[in-house]
């Protein structure tokens, strides 16, 4: 399931075409196709598609999700594994040896029909997306294998084998999920994501594979020795490996780690542990691990509120930087245009004169007052006019007085 605008989908397209050609050439019963999830959103929603690209293998009424590396070989191996039978029989020692050479981790059910076999089949139907499941009789196994009782489930890896013990290992599904990885891994982003399902802490030597200096080689050797020599003590709680480069780990921790270094990740709550002193040898590493287990080592990171806010800010910053690095012109358009509009609006708000209306009111009032003064004259003119009226009234009175005197005469 893809989207036409999705960059990851475009990157996968040539690989996907090669997968289709190779599966057809092999005569596989698996048909390879693709669907535009934006045009057929109802079908994509029915299959629970929430991101692009999403790879599913449909088998009967079941839909198996693929979450591994997006390479041709990995996708084909996934398709062949899931499309085949859940439990593959190993009828001979020769077949067992052949399969063991091809698989670094090999799960085998030994024995006849039993409740344990029913559980084994149920687990296989769930975890077939990750690993193969086989069955064999006891005489097919190598001579060095000693089973305490039958039936049994055995995992072959790291040059040896381990038998499932219900009392010590708990649920069969959880045990297989924990044991489906080798004791020591070359860890990348996909592997680290899958390790999150195991519930284990992941102890990683972060190094540069191209750097052959003593320090890089020494830290890698320390992790390998602990994984091999202390399996019985730590394998239920820890997964060991190394990671090439610190780019991915920096984005995960939101911090800049100087390599080579050692870090322990708790993928369930995004916490991580860094050694408080330089790891000189295996003894120092074992002590560091024990400090984590007994709670004396300081945990950093986590999924608290502050860390979530920090994650949002970090992801936003990373997104902006990646856009500008990949396409500067597009970045300028996407972020420059909105910022320009906002800046203009802010400038307009900040430069607006809040007293402008009041000044206009005062000006209008003053003009009105001036007009009134112009119509009525100044105070001096009004006083003179009044004096003139008084003078006129006095002359009239004198004339009337004269008239009265003349009448008397």
């Amino acid at each position: 399931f893809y989207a036409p605008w999705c960059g990851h989908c475009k990157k996968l397209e040539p690989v996907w075409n090669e997968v289709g050609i190779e599966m057809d050439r092999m005569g596989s019963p698996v048909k390879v196709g693709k669907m535009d999830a934006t045009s057929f959103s109802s079908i994509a929603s029915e299959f629970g598609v929430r991101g692009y690209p999403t790879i599913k293998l449909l088998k009967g009424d079941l839909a198996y999700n693929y979450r591994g590396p997006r390479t041709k070989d990995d996708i084909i191996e996934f398709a062949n594994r899931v499309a085949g039978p859940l439990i593959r029989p190993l009828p001979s020692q020769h077949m067992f040896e052949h399969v063991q050479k091809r698989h670094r981790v090999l799960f085998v059910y030994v024995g006849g029909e039993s409740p344990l076999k029913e559980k084994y089949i149920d687990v296989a139907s769930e975890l077939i997306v990750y690993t193969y499941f086989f069955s064999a009789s006891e005489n097919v196994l190598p001579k060095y294998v000693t089973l305490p009782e039958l039936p049994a489930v055995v995992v072959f890896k790291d040059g040896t084998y381990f038998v499932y013990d219900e009392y010590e290992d708990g649920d069969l599904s959880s045990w297989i999920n924990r044991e489906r990885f080798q004791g020591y891994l070359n860890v990348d982003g996909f592997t680290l994501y899958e390790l999150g399902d195991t519930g284990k802490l992941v102890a990683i030597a972060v190094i540069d594979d191209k750097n052959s200096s003593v320090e890089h080689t020494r830290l890698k050797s320390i992790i390998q020795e602990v994984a091999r020599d202390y399996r019985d003590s730590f394998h239920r709680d820890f997964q060991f490996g190394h990671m090439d480069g610190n780019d991915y780990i920096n984005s995960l921790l939101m911090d800049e780690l100087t390599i080579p270094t050692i870090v322990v990740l708790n993928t369930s709550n995004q916490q991580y542990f860094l050694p408080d002193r330089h790891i000189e040898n295996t003894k120092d590493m074992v002590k560091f691990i024990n400090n984590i287990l007994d709670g004396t080592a300081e945990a950093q990171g986590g999924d608290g509120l502050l860390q979530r806010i920090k994650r949002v800010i970090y992801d936003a910053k990373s997104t902006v930087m990646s856009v500008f690095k990949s396409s500067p012109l597009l970045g300028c358009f996407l972020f420059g245009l909105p910022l320009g509009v906002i800046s203009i609006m802010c400038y307009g708000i900040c430069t607006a004169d809040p007293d402008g209306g009041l000044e206009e009111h005062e000006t209008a009032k003053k003009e009105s007052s001036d007009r009134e003064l112009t119509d009525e004259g100044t105070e001096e003119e009004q006083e003179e006019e009044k004096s003139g009226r008084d003078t006129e009234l006095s002359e009239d009175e004198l004339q009337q007085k004269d008239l009265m005197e003349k009448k008397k005469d």
Side-chain angles (χ1 to χ4, degrees):
F1 296 87
Y2 71 97
W5 45 260
C6 172
H8 296 291
C9 301
K10 293 177 182 178
K11 186 177 180 180
L12 175 65
E13 184 175 5
V15 176
W16 192 249
N17 292 335
E18 291 178 5
V19 170
I21 295 171
E22 182 68 17
M23 296 292 286
D24 183 63
R25 186 187 66 80
M26 295 167 53
S28 172
V30 178
K31 304 302 179 184
V32 180
K34 60 183 179 180
M35 176 178 287
D36 182 352
T38 61
S39 299
F40 301 93
S41 57
S42 59
I43 298 178
S45 177
E46 180 182 346
F47 283 101
V49 176
R50 297 182 179 179
Y52 308 111
T54 293
I55 298 175
K56 291 177 178 284
L57 189 142
L58 310 180
K59 183 181 179 181
D61 296 332
L62 300 177
Y64 293 92
N65 292 320
Y66 177 70
R67 300 194 302 178
R70 294 175 186 144
T71 64
K72 183 187 77 170
D73 292 339
D74 286 303
I75 295 173
I76 289 176
E77 199 268 346
F78 163 81
N80 290 333
R81 181 173 66 248
V82 177
L86 286 177
I87 311 297
R88 300 169 188 251
L90 299 175
S92 65
Q93 289 184 352
H94 176 73
M95 180 61 72
F96 181 92
E97 292 171 359
H98 173 73
V99 171
Q100 190 176 19
K101 289 178 181 178
R102 294 187 57 191
H103 299 275
R104 295 177 179 178
V105 179
L106 183 66
F107 289 98
V108 182
Y109 172 82
V110 184
E113 299 296 325
S114 68
L116 180 61
K117 185 174 183 179
E118 294 177 3
K119 291 182 181 178
Y120 186 71
I121 294 173
D122 291 339
V123 173
S125 64
E126 175 189 356
L127 301 181
I128 189 69
V129 293
Y130 299 121
T131 188
Y132 287 92
F133 293 87
F134 298 90
S135 64
S137 59
E138 189 175 11
N139 60 0
V140 169
L141 302 181
K143 294 181 180 180
Y144 63 83
V145 176
T146 302
L147 301 179
E149 62 180 359
L150 291 178
V153 177
V154 187
V155 59
F156 294 85
K157 66 177 185 177
D158 301 330
T160 184
Y161 69 96
F162 306 97
V163 182
Y164 167 67
D165 187 324
E166 183 177 2
Y167 297 102
E168 290 187 3
D169 300 317
D171 179 62
L172 178 62
S173 177
S174 300
W175 178 78
I176 291 178
N177 200 30
R178 291 195 306 268
E179 297 292 341
R180 63 187 175 90
F181 297 98
Q182 292 178 277
Y184 183 89
L185 296 171
N186 184 353
V187 181
D188 57 16
F190 284 106
T191 307
L192 196 58
Y193 179 76
E194 289 188 5
L195 287 172
D197 296 335
T198 66
K200 291 184 177 183
L201 299 174
V202 186
I204 304 174
V206 185
I207 62 173
D208 183 357
D209 276 337
K210 298 178 181 178
N211 191 324
S212 58
S213 66
V214 175
E215 186 65 11
H216 288 256
T217 305
R218 186 179 63 83
L219 288 182
K220 182 178 177 180
S221 298
I222 289 174
I223 297 293
Q224 288 175 329
E225 290 176 12
V226 173
R228 182 185 67 244
D229 300 338
Y230 292 85
R231 172 189 157 80
D232 292 340
S233 301
F234 300 138
H235 82 280
R236 286 186 175 85
D237 302 301
F238 279 85
Q239 175 64 52
F240 299 93
H242 79 273
M243 178 175 284
D244 181 22
N246 62 351
D247 291 340
Y248 184 84
I249 205 73
N250 286 344
S251 65
L252 192 66
L253 306 186
M254 295 181 291
D255 197 2
E256 187 74 24
L257 289 183
T258 303
I259 59 174
T261 188
I262 289 176
V263 61
V264 175
L265 304 174
N266 186 339
T267 54
S268 63
N269 59 9
Q270 298 182 359
Q271 287 184 341
Y272 63 95
F273 301 85
L274 296 173
D276 56 359
R277 62 177 183 174
H278 191 63
I279 302 295
E280 294 287 348
N281 48 44
T282 304
K283 183 178 179 181
D284 290 341
M285 187 65 200
V286 171
K287 184 177 180 181
F288 176 45
I289 292 175
N290 285 326
N291 289 341
I292 295 174
L293 291 175
D294 62 26
T296 57
E298 180 183 0
Q300 302 182 47
D303 55 359
L305 179 60
L306 292 177
Q307 284 297 123
R308 293 179 183 179
I309 295 174
K310 184 179 177 181
R311 170 62 64 183
V312 171
I313 296 173
Y314 182 87
D315 290 342
K317 180 180 177 181
S318 300
T319 301
V320 172
M321 294 300 294
S322 64
V323 170
F324 273 99
K325 286 182 179 179
S326 60
S327 180
L329 293 177
L330 179 62
C332 291
F333 177 78
L334 290 177
F335 300 103
L337 182 62
L339 288 175
V341 173
I342 294 173
S343 299
I344 293 172
M345 292 175 62
C346 292
Y347 176 79
I349 293 172
C350 293
T351 56
D353 190 354
D355 298 329
L358 181 61
E359 290 180 356
E360 290 178 0
H361 177 70
E362 292 293 339
T363 302
K365 183 177 180 182
K366 184 177 180 181
E367 290 176 352
S368 176
S369 176
D370 290 343
R371 284 195 299 271
E372 290 177 0
L373 290 175
T374 301
D375 294 338
E376 295 179 3
T378 62
E379 293 181 1
E380 293 179 357
E381 291 174 345
Q382 292 179 28
E383 189 68 31
E384 290 179 359
E385 185 178 346
K386 183 178 179 180
S387 299
R389 284 198 300 267
D390 291 344
T391 304
E392 291 175 359
L393 289 173
S394 298
E395 290 178 353
D396 290 340
E397 289 177 358
L398 289 173
Q399 290 177 359
Q400 289 180 5
K401 187 176 180 180
D402 292 338
L403 287 173
M404 290 298 292
E405 289 179 352
K406 287 180 180 180
K407 287 179 179 180
K408 288 180 180 180
D409 294 340

